[in-house]
Amino acid sequence: MGWLNAVIQGLLLGGLYALFATGLSLMFGVMRIVNLAHGDLAVVASFLALALVSGTGLPLWIVLVVTVPLFAVLGYLTQRVLLQRSLSSGPLATLLVTFGLSIVLQNVLLEVFSADTRTLDGGSFGTGSFELNGSISIGYLSLATFLLACAALAGIQLFLSRTGLGRMLRASSDDRETANLVGADSRHVYGIATAIAFATVALAGLMFAMRSSFDPATGPSRLIFAFEAVVIGGLGSLWGTLLGGMVLGVTQSLGAQIDPALTLLAGHLVFLAVLAFRPQGLIAGRTA
């Protein structure tokens, strides 16, 4: 039963990785941007939620409702003010811009909150669980995170396929110039895509903050896991992102079952194996 429990816990952990990777996959699929500040944005959301809970005494669920839309607005503004200017200069320019943003965010967090590790108290929801049998238990937070990841991916997929703005987003992804000729404002469309990406990474940051400790330097490790989930699942494939996250989570969980020292290494080895033998990912596709 220990191995079965490891697989179940790995699948649930994969939901967290998929939630982290959703925004990264969307931005790459739509704008061909690899956002190196992605993990740091999740940490910013964690610290913002912690500050709101500590400073105002608001319930955590209200803080979540406030933080996610706030990050959506921040994402739209970031795209229009910062990233849009670098898109015309090629992928290297956007990499440098997001790398610079990552450095700035880490140092601002370090200055404001210090290097101490923090955690977001989720109360009984964060620590509680229910038992399937005597040896397998499922945490409420882990299950909620997995369901949120599925809901976010399904919602984005429906938005892209069923709404006019979503179809404009797909058209701009295919050919920005042609889309502009038929009335699409690619700057606005890209801003919407970035807003969605920022909202999902904020949600992932809050789920992670209730699950584990964090500090201003935690962002790069979150970025690595998100990037590995995207590559394993398939660049630009939304449901591939979920599959990639689950594969990564199960691999790490099984590695930990063999030897705790293998937890991270096992995931990295699977990532390298996918790059070597199936570089298009398990589900070849694209987000938009």
Side-chain angles (χ1 to χ4, degrees):
M1 297 301 291
W3 291 99
L4 178 59
N5 184 57
V7 171
I8 292 174
Q9 301 307 321
L11 290 172
L12 296 176
L13 176 61
L16 177 63
Y17 291 157
L19 196 56
F20 268 112
T22 298
L24 198 66
S25 178
L26 182 65
M27 289 187 69
F28 179 82
V30 173
M31 294 173 286
R32 303 299 184 263
I33 289 178
V34 178
N35 181 11
L36 297 182
H38 193 76
D40 298 292
L41 289 167
V43 178
V44 170
S46 301
F47 274 108
L48 176 60
L50 180 65
L52 288 175
V53 170
S54 302
T56 65
L58 289 172
L60 187 56
W61 69 270
I62 294 181
V63 170
L64 188 149
V65 170
V66 170
T67 302
V68 173
L70 182 63
F71 262 71
V73 174
L74 178 63
Y76 186 89
L77 294 176
T78 300
Q79 166 59 30
R80 294 301 298 265
V81 174
L82 190 62
L83 297 180
Q84 184 64 40
R85 298 176 182 273
S86 64
L87 277 174
S88 58
S89 301
L92 180 59
T94 57
L95 279 175
L96 292 174
V97 168
T98 57
F99 176 73
L101 180 60
S102 171
I103 298 299
V104 169
L105 290 176
Q106 288 183 45
N107 281 275
V108 169
L109 290 175
L110 187 62
E111 182 69 25
V112 175
F113 295 100
S114 79
D116 296 339
T117 58
R118 317 290 177 90
T119 188
L120 196 58
D121 184 12
S124 59
F125 175 72
T127 57
S129 63
F130 62 92
E131 290 189 356
L132 294 181
N133 57 39
S135 59
I136 298 177
S137 62
I138 295 179
Y140 298 133
L141 177 61
S142 298
L143 181 60
T145 302
F146 184 86
L147 294 177
L148 279 173
C150 294
L153 288 166
I156 293 171
Q157 189 67 59
L158 287 173
F159 167 74
L160 292 174
S161 60
R162 301 291 180 87
T163 68
L165 183 57
R167 287 189 286 269
M168 282 293 186
L169 194 150
R170 296 170 63 191
S172 297
S173 172
D174 287 333
D175 190 330
R176 182 175 62 180
E177 300 300 328
T178 302
N180 286 338
L181 289 175
V182 297
D185 182 353
S186 61
R187 294 174 299 177
H188 174 66
V189 168
Y190 287 174
I192 295 297
T194 309
I196 297 172
F198 274 47
T200 57
V201 78
L203 185 59
L206 295 178
M207 296 298 105
F208 170 73
M210 287 187 281
R211 181 187 182 108
S212 180
S213 59
F214 58 93
D215 61 67
T218 303
S221 64
R222 300 303 100 190
L223 172 65
I224 290 173
F225 293 145
F227 185 72
E228 289 181 344
V230 169
V231 172
I232 292 172
L235 289 171
S237 171
L238 281 176
W239 292 112
T241 298
L242 179 61
L243 177 61
M246 291 192 295
V247 169
L248 184 62
V250 169
T251 303
Q252 290 183 354
S253 185
L254 292 177
Q257 184 74 9
I258 298 171
D259 184 346
L262 294 177
T263 302
L264 298 182
L265 178 60
H268 297 331
L269 290 176
V270 168
F271 167 67
L272 290 175
V274 170
L275 281 179
F277 299 107
R278 192 174 173 81
Q280 72 271 31
L282 299 179
I283 301 178
R286 47 196 300 276
T287 299

